[in-house]
Amino acid sequence: MKALVWHGKEDIRCEEVPDPRIEEPRDAIIKVTSCAICGSDLHLYNGFVPFMKSGDIMGHECMGEVVEVGPEAKGKLKVGERVVIPFTIICGECEQCRRGNFSVCETTNRNKDLAAKAFGRTTAGLFGYTHLTGGYPGGQAEYLRVPYADRTHIKVPDGLSDEQVLFLSDILPTGWQAAVQCDIQPTDTVAIWGCGPVGQMAIRSAVLLGARQVIAIDRIPERLDMAKAGGAVTINFEEESVVERIEELTKGKGPEKCIDAVGLEAHATATLDSMYDRVKQAMMLESDRAHVLREMMYLCRPAGTLSIPGVYGGLIDKIPFGAVMNKGLTIRTGQTHVNRWTDDLLRRIEQGQIDPTFVITHRVRLEDGPAMYETFRDKKDACVKVVMTP
Amino acid sequence: MRSETARTRRGHAGTQTATLARGLGVFSIALGLAELLAPRTLTRSLGMEGQERLVQAYGVREIATGVGLLAARDPTPWVWGRVGGDVLDLATLATGLEGDNPRTPHIGIALAAVAGVTALDLYCAKALSGDGSQPRLPLRDYSSRSGFPRHPDAMRGVARDADIPRDFRTPEALRPWT
């Protein structure tokens, strides 16, 4: 089959690889009908995430049709059913899964020891990501083996197109969880750093959950336009001061809730801390650039909440934890517990409350995927979200 | 209508040129640190004893340029700054050829190395300067992509019925303050 294969920094190729097969009784194989490139795939593309191996198949946002089911998944899945595959692989049985903390499933990471060395404890297995999270082949391919498939799926009701439901695999529940983590009240201002796909979903989620005001921060004009269309007041940080503008919009009190939808590759420039991060990262003395975290910690209203769906991989430096402690801020973060939210979100899509297709700007064949990584990374051609069909 | 360069997104140099510029930034910092921390070793090997302070000053210049290259959104002026620094380095090294310097062969090697780096800096600076002169393409209009069936104001709070799990709620004691 064809698949997008990682070979190193900025080196992703569309290649022929062996077809996946059932390896465990709970497995299923799906024929991928749609897949997408996620912002966190760019961290792999840019070489910021350790423990990738040449030959790894990329992709953790995909959906398709079930073509083969292992004996222990047969009660839950049938050949021919359409399913979205969440990026987190879950067993549904461990203590964390029973609590709904699916992204820290204790069972599915097949490199638990490696994860425990890096993070202290294991986290869930993820598709198409680092070997720290199991090194499972991803869904930017013609076929995908789904481990623990009896639990790791979202069934698609008739009448919904691929594009309407594809983002249930990651960015929609990720933006939703980012907003839910804020426990939004009708009086809240929610400031969201980053207007990429997750930021866009977080904006819509914050509006739907009733935030009085949503502020969106980015530097790419068309992304800011899209944020504004979703109901946000926008700040272009290359044209105006984020601090001054947020002070003005919150009458000097700061936002009650702040969301970091940027993560480890913050593009801030011309600030002292961003210069420091760039130099340290280039000298391999720091893995992540934490400008957004610092700005949120500084700007957030006392007793407020910082919600961090943006991906961080390792070590950060010069974090103003005195501000966090003295202002009594709550920090909520984590990979998304996808299946915890998807029933509700699927209902909202069916009811027409939200149409996630608004974010799609590029539709291409899988073979064109490697070039689209660069287009997406460099925001060329006004790219916000790429959907591929094998 | 706004526009952008054809080859690159505004604010982003072409990938290979940007990588070269970053590489030059790291090289600048490494060389600057060597000049700052071990000036005597350098002057001795070039037969230019007594110039330690000058070498350290050049080290500070190299570090500043390197930081600028790595941190700036647009590295172009910093790379041109490196070209200027290269000319200064070449001129300074040339003074070592005067008189009966026993280390003249070392000076020759250093001159060749700096000339090579100068060529690389010039190539990078010209490539970066060229990026901005490409024809521009229009940006797309996403101002109607709300994702909502109605105006966002009409959608505000539609999902207040969402069952927020207890473990995701703000602690009761903090509620009056948020």
Side-chain angles (χ1 to χ4, degrees):
Chain A
M1 68 167 182
K2 285 195 195 72
L4 299 194
V5 181
W6 188 92
H7 283 285
K9 187 181 172 187
E10 296 176 355
D11 184 3
I12 288 172
R13 305 173 204 164
C14 184
E15 290 179 343
E16 281 292 329
V17 297
D19 286 357
R21 55 184 179 77
I22 299 280
E23 294 175 21
E24 301 289 340
R26 292 175 72 178
D27 287 357
I29 305 291
I30 69 157
K31 182 178 191 304
V32 177
T33 52
S34 295
C35 56
I37 304 177
C38 180
S40 54
D41 289 330
L42 296 181
H43 302 321
L44 308 180
Y45 180 66
N46 288 332
F48 284 111
V49 178
F51 296 103
M52 288 293 288
K53 291 181 184 167
S54 182
D56 286 346
I57 299 176
M58 298 287 296
H60 57 266
E61 296 182 2
C62 74
M63 63 176 296
E65 184 185 320
V66 179
V67 291
E68 198 177 346
V69 184
E72 288 181 23
K74 274 194 171 140
K76 298 286 173 90
L77 275 179
K78 280 187 256 175
V79 170
E81 283 182 317
R82 283 173 74 218
V83 286
V84 173
I85 304 301
F87 76 94
T88 44
I89 304 170
I90 61 173
C91 74
E93 293 163 352
C94 69
E95 190 180 335
Q96 294 288 10
C97 281
R98 288 202 306 273
R99 288 168 179 264
N101 297 331
F102 296 119
S103 76
V104 286
C105 170
E106 296 168 325
T107 309
T108 55
N109 188 343
R110 57 186 178 182
N111 294 327
K112 289 191 184 69
D113 291 345
L114 196 59
K117 280 195 181 104
F119 304 136
R121 298 280 184 274
T122 188
T123 56
L126 307 181
F127 288 103
Y129 224 65
T130 161
H131 286 257
L132 276 175
T133 53
Y136 289 98
Q140 289 170 5
E142 289 182 294
Y143 293 91
L144 174 72
R145 171 189 162 234
V146 182
Y148 301 90
D150 54 320
R151 294 303 307 263
T152 307
H153 68 264
I154 302 148
K155 285 190 186 171
V156 181
D158 292 338
L160 292 177
S161 69
D162 274 21
E163 289 188 355
Q164 281 177 292
V165 293
L166 173 61
F167 302 137
L168 286 170
S169 57
D170 183 347
I171 58 169
L172 179 54
T174 297
W176 180 260
Q177 180 175 304
V180 167
Q181 283 177 161
C182 291
D183 191 13
I184 291 168
Q185 304 299 308
T187 51
D188 282 348
T189 290
V190 181
I192 299 171
W193 275 256
C195 296
V198 167
Q200 299 290 346
M201 296 300 171
I203 290 165
R204 273 71 181 173
S205 301
V207 168
L208 286 170
L209 288 164
R212 185 180 62 82
Q213 178 175 236
V214 178
I215 300 170
I217 302 147
D218 204 294
R219 64 178 176 143
I220 308 294
E222 62 271 20
R223 293 184 176 205
L224 289 166
D225 284 351
M226 195 184 270
K228 202 170 179 180
V233 177
T234 58
I235 300 176
N236 184 332
F237 68 79
E238 287 189 341
E239 292 175 358
E240 51 192 338
S241 159
V242 174
V243 175
E244 285 172 17
R245 188 88 175 94
I246 284 190
E247 289 294 277
E248 185 186 313
L249 289 165
T250 60
K251 297 186 170 53
K253 293 199 161 193
E256 286 90 347
K257 312 290 162 66
C258 298
I259 295 175
D260 172 0
V262 175
L264 65 90
E265 290 186 67
H267 281 287
T269 52
T271 60
L272 271 179
D273 72 309
S274 65
M275 291 184 195
Y276 176 82
D277 283 339
R278 287 264 186 185
V279 172
K280 282 201 79 172
Q281 203 177 42
M283 307 291 280
M284 294 190 169
L285 298 172
E286 180 184 45
S287 60
D288 305 357
R289 304 198 292 260
H291 172 76
V292 169
L293 283 180
R294 295 188 194 104
E295 201 158 69
M296 292 200 322
M297 289 169 176
Y298 179 71
L299 283 170
C300 191
R301 188 177 297 204
T305 298
L306 310 179
S307 171
I308 307 166
V311 171
Y312 287 86
L315 304 174
I316 51 177
D317 194 0
K318 300 288 177 288
I319 287 298
F321 213 76
V324 176
M325 187 272 164
N326 284 287
K327 290 199 288 184
L329 303 182
T330 299
I331 298 178
R332 297 216 58 147
T333 184
Q335 297 280 7
T336 310
H337 308 308
V338 177
N339 289 68
R340 191 164 186 171
W341 317 112
T342 45
D343 287 352
D344 187 27
L345 289 171
L346 190 54
R347 177 177 65 83
R348 294 183 194 283
I349 292 170
E350 283 185 290
Q351 290 176 350
Q353 288 182 17
I354 184 163
D355 177 7
T357 62
F358 77 89
V359 80
I360 302 171
T361 55
H362 290 69
R363 296 170 174 88
V364 299
R365 302 285 306 164
L366 185 67
E367 295 88 327
D368 300 320
M372 293 314 294
Y373 267 87
E374 189 184 329
T375 300
F376 181 34
R377 193 266 310 270
D378 293 343
K379 287 95 175 170
K380 288 178 183 171
D381 195 31
C383 184
V384 181
K385 189 70 181 175
V386 181
V387 171
M388 299 179 289
T389 45
Chain B
M1 182 177 275
R2 286 184 296 249
S3 57
E4 63 180 336
T5 61
R7 284 169 53 201
T8 61
R9 187 68 180 83
R10 187 172 37 245
H12 294 259
T15 306
Q16 285 178 338
T17 317
T19 305
L20 176 60
R22 277 198 299 273
L24 289 170
V26 174
F27 172 72
S28 238
I29 291 170
L31 178 62
L33 284 172
E35 289 177 330
L36 196 61
L37 300 174
R40 191 156 300 162
T41 312
L42 284 169
T43 54
R44 205 179 299 146
S45 70
L46 295 168
M48 296 175 72
E49 286 91 344
Q51 303 282 359
E52 287 78 15
R53 285 286 168 89
L54 184 66
V55 169
Q56 284 185 313
Y58 284 7
V60 172
R61 184 201 77 212
E62 289 282 2
I63 292 170
T65 314
V67 170
L69 269 169
L70 294 173
R73 184 178 72 250
D74 179 7
T76 313
W78 295 97
V79 181
W80 280 115
R82 269 194 58 80
V83 174
D86 292 338
V87 172
L88 209 56
D89 288 345
L90 287 168
T92 308
L93 282 168
T95 63
L97 295 171
E98 293 168 357
D100 53 351
N101 185 349
R103 302 281 188 174
T104 303
H106 287 193
I107 297 265
I109 293 168
L111 277 168
V114 176
V117 174
T118 306
L120 206 58
D121 285 334
L122 258 176
Y123 167 79
C124 186
K126 283 190 169 178
L128 285 168
S129 300
D131 281 343
S133 60
Q134 297 300 311
R136 291 172 171 267
L137 295 172
L139 284 177
R140 298 206 192 133
D141 179 8
Y142 297 151
S143 58
S144 61
R145 288 180 174 236
S146 79
F148 294 136
R150 299 189 295 280
H151 190 276
D153 286 341
M155 298 305 292
R156 199 173 302 279
V158 163
R160 282 210 185 101
D161 64 334
D163 183 17
I164 307 298
R166 205 175 59 174
D167 56 322
F168 275 71
R169 290 193 177 278
T170 305
E172 205 57 44
L174 286 176
R175 275 192 186 280
W177 304 96
T178 62

